[in-house]
């Protein structure tokens, strides 16, 4: 088989890139390790920046998002002294859209089907070859047979645990990492959301987040020690803990019910540099991870897709190969800004096991600034709604 761009990974990065390239007249093949049902069963991000929403519009996959997504003009922050709101619309004139990653992925699959895309699911032992030559190729196994895919370029969209990043020799790349000493226990439930907008809560017992997917589907998280196992947490124990950490007025009226999904995610900040190795380009979680506080992961994957799309179009359609070298540096500037914001918001909102009384006071002072200082709110709002591409 031969294609112009081989895409490793059929998550949101891979599918969005494939969709946009195909619309530009560039051929793609997507190789995904899991089944389609498995990919669509993953519950992940829920908040889309305007830049990502615009990219979905450009890709022709925004119809359901426009219909079912909810525009949020601000967010709530809860502290020991009560709750306050940062009004994004008022501070920076922009909003975010609450629409699940699972829905985005579903919409992308349907759009790809409509374009007749080639997406190989359950592709095992994907391996990248000759990526520093002008004739790279990919091999994989499917139904017990080995296949070869020849291509001009490879996009590594295979997430944090994929094969693309380790294809770059260890001595040719650098990893920047911070691992946080806690995780997020999350549940999805068929209940009315606790509030109209998200609530990020800083509480002495630990962080909590009240989020949602729709008017009838809620997503909640509580900070837990890394040693906790999901089996230890009954639904009742989760709701009790969440209630303790959210403001009383919210806890008292909050609807609870059986969880549809429950899982623990570790928190980490991670960047791999460079993002390009010969004709291989890393995109999304394959190149970087942010802690979910701040909702930047999926949105960063989208901005990577935008930069790589521009570079591949210039190289393939306009024969401007130099544009490809600009992909990594352009993407990384935005990635590090989002790294800083996600790290800041994680540090501001969580209880750290080794937090001293001094650290605690600084956290409180910073929250107070955010509550009372317009310039602090502008900075937060500008980052939360997404920096320009
Ligand atoms: P993905 O989604 O991990 O997709 C990678 C795909 O590659 C496949 N794959 C392989 N395929 C072939 N061969 C191999 N060897 C392969 N290895 C892996 C995988 O099966 C998979 O299908 O990466 P992608 O596309 O870069 O997308 C990134 C986003 O998924 C991620 O950044 C976000 O989910 C992060 N995130 C959030 N981001 C936001 O912008 N807003 C949020 O509100 C938000 N909340 C979250 C989140 C992530 C979370 N978890 C569980 C990590 C909340 C949580 C709890
Ligand atoms: C979510 O709804 O899953 C979500 C929302 C905001 C975040 C993280 C996760 O910061």
């Amino acid at each position: 088989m031969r294609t112009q761009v081989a895409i490793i990974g059929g998550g949101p990065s891979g599918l969005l890139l494939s969709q946009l390239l195909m619309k530009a007249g560039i051929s793609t093949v997507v190789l995904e390790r899991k089944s389609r049902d498995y990919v669509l069963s993953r519950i992940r991000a829920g908040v889309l920046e305007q830049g990502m929403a615009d990219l979905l519009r450009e890709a022709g996959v925004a119809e359901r998002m426009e219909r079912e997504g909810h525009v949020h003009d601000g967010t709530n922050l809860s502290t020991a002294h009560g709750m306050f709101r940062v009004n994004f619309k008022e501070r920076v004139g922009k909003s975010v859209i609450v629409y699940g990653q699972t829905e985005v992925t579903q919409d992308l699959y349907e759009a790809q089907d409509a374009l007749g895309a080639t997406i190989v699911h359950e592709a095992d032992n994907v391996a990248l070859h000759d990526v520093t030559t002008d004739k790279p190729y990919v091999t994989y196994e499917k139904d017990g047979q080995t296949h070869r895919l020849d291509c001009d370029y490879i996009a590594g969209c295979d997430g944090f645990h994929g094969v693309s990043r380790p294809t770059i020799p260890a001595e040719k790349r650098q990893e920047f990492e911070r691992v946080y000493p806690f995780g997020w226990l999350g549940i999805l439930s068929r209940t009315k959301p606790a509030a109209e907008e998200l609530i990020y809560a800083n509480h002495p017992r630990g962080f909590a987040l009240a989020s949602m997917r729709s008017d009838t589907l809620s997503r909640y998280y509580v900070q837990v020690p890394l040693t906790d196992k999901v089996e230890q947490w009954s639904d009742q124990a989760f709701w009790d803990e969440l209630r303790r950490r959210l403001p009383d007025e919210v806890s008292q009226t909050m609807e609870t019910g059986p969880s549809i999904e429950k899982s623990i995610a570790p928190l980490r900040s991670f960047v791999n540099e460079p993002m390009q190795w010969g004709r291989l380009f890393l995109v999304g979680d394959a190149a970087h991870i942010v802690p979910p506080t701040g909702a930047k992961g999926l949105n960063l994957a989208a901005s990577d897709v935008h930069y790589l799309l521009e570079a591949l179009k210039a190289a393939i359609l306009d024969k401007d190969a130099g544009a490809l070298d600009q992909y990594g540096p352009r993407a990384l500037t935005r990635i590090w800004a989002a790294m800083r914001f996600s790290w800041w918001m994680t540090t501001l909102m969580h209880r750290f096991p080794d937090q001293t009384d001094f650290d605690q006071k600084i956290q409180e002072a910073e929250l107070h600034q955010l509550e009372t200082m317009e310039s602090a709110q502008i900075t937060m709002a500008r980052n939360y709604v997404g920096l320009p591409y």
Side-chain angles (χ1 to χ4, degrees):
M1 208 169 15
R2 179 171 172 89
T3 190
Q4 285 171 302
V5 182
I7 298 177
I8 319 298
S13 302
L15 295 172
L16 181 57
L17 181 64
S18 177
Q19 177 72 10
L20 288 160
L21 285 170
M22 285 180 75
K23 281 184 80 92
I26 296 168
S27 64
T28 68
V29 169
V30 178
L31 302 176
E32 165 58 49
R33 183 166 58 181
K34 301 284 189 186
S35 70
R36 186 158 166 163
D37 284 349
Y38 182 92
V39 173
L40 288 172
S41 69
R42 291 193 291 232
I43 309 293
R44 288 190 172 171
V47 178
L48 311 185
E49 296 172 354
Q50 214 162 292
M52 175 159 189
D54 290 342
L55 206 55
L56 293 174
R57 290 182 188 110
E58 187 184 331
V61 293
E63 196 200 317
R64 196 159 66 100
M65 176 195 79
E66 312 279 18
R67 212 172 48 239
E68 296 177 13
H70 284 263
V71 173
H72 284 204
D73 291 339
T75 197
N76 302 297
L77 294 163
S78 163
T79 73
H81 309 291
M83 192 154 72
F84 66 96
R85 177 168 186 257
V86 177
N87 187 328
F88 306 145
K89 191 89 192 167
E90 206 170 280
R91 293 287 175 249
V92 296
K94 287 192 180 155
S95 311
V96 291
I97 300 179
V98 171
Y99 188 66
Q101 176 169 334
T102 316
E103 311 311 315
V104 172
T105 311
Q106 169 88 46
D107 297 345
L108 281 165
Y109 270 131
E110 282 171 18
Q112 282 278 274
D113 288 347
L115 288 186
T118 308
I119 303 176
V120 182
H121 280 101
E122 293 165 322
D124 285 328
N125 293 322
V126 170
L128 284 53
H129 308 273
D130 295 352
V131 295
T132 54
T133 72
D134 58 4
K135 289 190 178 55
Y137 66 97
V138 181
T139 54
Y140 63 96
E141 285 164 26
K142 168 89 183 163
D143 301 328
Q145 285 202 324
T146 303
H147 300 262
R148 173 177 169 137
L149 173 62
D150 289 289
C151 56
D152 297 324
Y153 302 100
I154 303 174
C157 303
D158 47 352
F160 186 62
H161 301 287
V163 290
S164 299
R165 191 177 63 252
T167 300
I168 308 178
E171 68 278 10
K172 299 289 184 193
R173 62 194 178 90
Q174 190 174 0
E175 295 182 351
F176 303 85
E177 183 171 49
R178 167 148 309 175
V179 176
Y180 300 88
F182 39 72
W184 279 18
L185 167 67
I187 72 160
L188 187 70
S189 68
R190 251 180 244 298
T191 49
K192 184 172 170 297
E196 284 189 4
E197 292 174 343
L198 275 65
I199 305 172
Y200 288 89
N202 174 306
H203 189 275
R205 295 181 64 91
F207 170 78
L209 171 61
S211 182
M212 65 210 68
R213 291 291 177 274
S214 70
D215 293 338
T216 53
L217 207 53
S218 298
R219 181 75 167 151
Y220 296 104
Y221 300 94
V222 292
Q223 172 188 346
V224 292
L226 278 173
T227 45
D228 276 20
K229 299 274 171 281
V230 72
E231 304 77 46
Q232 287 168 247
W233 282 89
S234 66
D235 286 359
Q236 192 56 50
F238 180 90
W239 291 118
D240 289 347
E241 190 56 36
L242 181 67
R243 279 213 165 92
R244 288 187 198 108
R245 298 185 190 185
L246 291 177
D248 283 347
E249 66 270 27
V250 175
S251 297
Q252 278 155 16
T253 55
M254 187 173 62
E255 213 178 84
T256 62
S259 62
I260 317 172
E261 195 263 0
K262 197 191 285 166
S263 53
I264 296 183
L267 269 68
R268 122 182 21 239
S269 301
F270 173 90
V271 183
N272 177 90
E273 292 192 21
M275 292 176 73
Q276 175 187 3
W277 177 243
R279 291 190 169 222
L280 166 66
F281 302 88
L282 302 181
V283 179
D285 279 16
H288 43 76
I289 296 284
V290 285
T293 340
K296 287 285 157 263
L298 177 61
N299 291 299
L300 268 189
S303 55
D304 287 357
V305 166
H306 163 80
Y307 293 128
L308 185 56
L309 173 74
E310 295 301 308
L312 286 170
K313 282 202 299 197
I316 296 170
L317 305 177
D318 309 331
K319 309 287 177 227
D320 170 15
L324 292 166
D325 296 336
Q326 292 310 307
Y327 164 65
R330 286 183 77 196
L332 279 164
T333 303
R334 193 171 189 280
I335 288 162
W336 276 111
M339 283 291 145
R340 188 211 65 83
F341 177 67
S342 307
W343 159 83
W344 170 78
M345 208 165 152
T346 301
T347 309
L348 179 68
M349 298 308 293
H350 290 74
R351 270 315 123 125
F352 285 70
D354 60 352
Q355 198 159 325
T356 63
D357 290 347
F358 178 84
D359 298 334
Q360 174 70 36
K361 286 286 185 189
I362 295 289
Q363 209 182 51
E364 285 167 24
E366 186 143 19
L367 280 164
H368 181 69
Q369 253 191 21
L370 193 55
E371 181 169 3
T372 55
M373 208 187 262
E374 194 179 309
S375 58
Q377 291 200 357
I378 291 172
T379 303
M380 191 255 181
R382 188 157 287 151
N383 282 279
Y384 196 95
V385 301
L387 298 172
Y389 284 11

